[in-house]
Amino acid sequence: MSWETQAWAAKQRPGSSSAKLVLLGLASCADANHCAFPSIQWLCDFSDLNRKTVIAALQRLEDGMFPLIEDTGERRGRTLQVKVYRLAAGAEGASADPASETVPKAEQSQKRNSSVFSRKQSQNRDTEPVSNLIPPSLPNGREAPTPKNRKSVSGKGTRLPADWTPPAVDDLPRATAALVRQWPGGAYAVVCDVFRCHFHSENGPQAIKRDWTATLAKWLTKDHSKIMRDAKAGISFAPSAARKPGSTPEAYRPVAARADEDERSQAIRAHLRRDLGAQLYEQWIEPVAVIWDEGRGGSGGVVVIAASEFQRAWIEDRFQPKIMAAARAVIGSGVRWTRFQVDQAQPVQSGKE
């Protein structure tokens, strides 16, 4: 337990009470390097919050323009699935509270703009451990170039470049690359397409990242278990052009409910094709049924009917916001929900407002 980390956490303002509780829980487990790896259940017990709220709080702390925690990529626990987070307590400028500075308040006010104060800051920085986020320098003193697709981590971050291309698997962090090599053919390209589509359409602080390669690595690690389950279920990630007639997996067979579609369904499909791109659309949206349901009392929505439970879960997890946005662009604000179900199965509703 690190008292320094707990003192830092107590001064932070993440913007919600649940995020503050989760941050305090992480800080109470942190070691001298400000790293902690409590399980989700432990954080639920500590904060008295439910699992969904704890996960949302962790996401809030991890994302944003100035994240308070970061996923180190290391995993602990018996199943090696518990994330190891590094808290930003040791980062320069992590605390905005003047009382946390080592310089007395009177000296701060007098010397904040003086050369003496600047020298003290420089000396303090020189005694800190070198962060692995600082780009290396060449012998002549110039900064080494950053790898392709990776922006400098200094400053406030950037949006995903319009011409972004996925890095080679060998260029990913070693642990992430080991997971991706277990995936079936085509899965890496599909997940990267979803990643690109998501962040090119994202707005606000969530769209700003300081290290896009690290962000992709976290995205890939999070998707690993889903990819392996889908592969075990027989879902293919190969492009549709590469599939032979008669060998189409169940996930790509059009469902019978497509016969119930109308012109609104076709307009939503056209919008999704433009938004997702031809490859993602043909692979995941083309086989399913997209049907407008009037609902009751003006509370209508879109029903997406898939051929299998795996296909339903994949589409709901990754494309629900896109489907909702496409439906509202075509039908208007009367679209209040989306519902995802398997053909002739009990529906599972999500996306309520």
Side-chain angles (χ1 to χ4, degrees), residues 2-10 12 23 27 30-35 67-70 86-95 100 128:
S2 169
W3 292 108
E4 178 188 353
T5 310
Q6 291 191 69
W8 168 85
Q12 304 311 305
L23 182 62
D31 58 20
N33 296 319
H34 313 295
C35 291
L68 297 177
I69 63 174
E70 68 168 333
R86 179 181 293 110
L87 283 69
E92 182 181 353
S95 174
S100 66
E128 295 174 355

Side-chain angles (χ1 to χ4, degrees), residues 169-242:
V169 174
D170 290 341
D171 293 336
L172 296 171
R174 184 170 57 182
T176 304
L179 296 178
V180 173
R181 292 190 186 100
Q182 302 175 35
W183 294 5
Y188 178 60
V190 169
V191 174
C192 286
D193 280 346
V194 176
F195 178 85
R196 180 193 299 107
C197 179
H198 174 82
F199 283 106
H200 278 169
S201 60
E202 186 77 12
N203 292 314
Q206 301 294 335
I208 306 298
K209 304 294 180 184
R210 292 180 295 174
D211 188 335
W212 282 107
T213 299
T215 303
L216 175 64
K218 289 192 290 185
W219 185 287
L220 297 171
T221 302
K222 185 185 299 183
D223 274 359
H224 175 68
S225 59
K226 294 177 183 178
I227 295 290
M228 298 306 291
R229 284 199 302 268
D230 292 349
K232 186 176 180 180
I235 293 180
S236 172
F237 294 86
S240 53

Side-chain angles (χ1 to χ4, degrees), residues 327-338:
R328 286 182 170 173
V330 171
I331 298 172
S333 59
V335 181
R336 311 302 270 175
W337 48 264
T338 54

Side-chain angles (χ1 to χ4, degrees), residues 5-153:
T5 310
Q6 291 191 69
W8 168 85
K11 297 174 184 177
Q12 304 311 305
R13 296 181 179 179
S16 76
S17 57
S18 58
K20 182 64 173 283
L21 274 173
V22 171
L23 182 62
L24 290 171
L26 289 169
S28 69
C29 300
D31 58 20
N33 296 319
H34 313 295
C35 291
F37 49 95
S39 66
I40 297 295
Q41 185 58 52
W42 189 94
L43 289 172
C44 291
D45 296 339
F46 173 87
S47 62
D48 203 20
L49 301 171
N50 60 45
R51 182 180 181 86
K52 184 177 180 180
T53 304
V54 167
I55 293 174
L58 287 170
Q59 192 70 30
R60 182 185 187 96
L61 294 170
E62 189 175 358
D63 293 335
M65 190 171 295
F66 298 104
L68 297 177
I69 63 174
E70 68 168 333
D71 183 356
T72 64
E74 187 179 354
R75 297 294 182 265
R76 296 286 184 89
R78 289 179 300 175
T79 60
L80 295 180
Q81 293 184 357
V82 179
K83 293 183 179 180
V84 179
Y85 290 104
R86 179 181 293 110
L87 283 69
E92 182 181 353
S95 174
D97 190 347
S100 66
E101 301 289 347
T102 57
V103 182
K105 289 184 178 179
E107 187 179 36
Q108 265 191 338
S109 59
Q110 295 171 4
K111 300 184 178 182
R112 180 171 298 277
N113 298 320
S114 69
S115 59
V116 175
F117 186 85
S118 298
R119 283 196 298 271
K120 285 187 177 182
Q121 281 187 325
S122 300
Q123 292 169 1
N124 288 339
R125 285 197 296 269
D126 291 341
T127 60
E128 295 174 355
V130 178
S131 170
N132 58 0
L133 296 179
I134 302 176
S137 298
L138 297 176
N140 58 9
R142 293 182 301 171
E143 184 179 290
T146 56
K148 186 180 180 181
N149 297 322
R150 185 165 182 168
K151 298 295 183 181
S152 171
V153 297

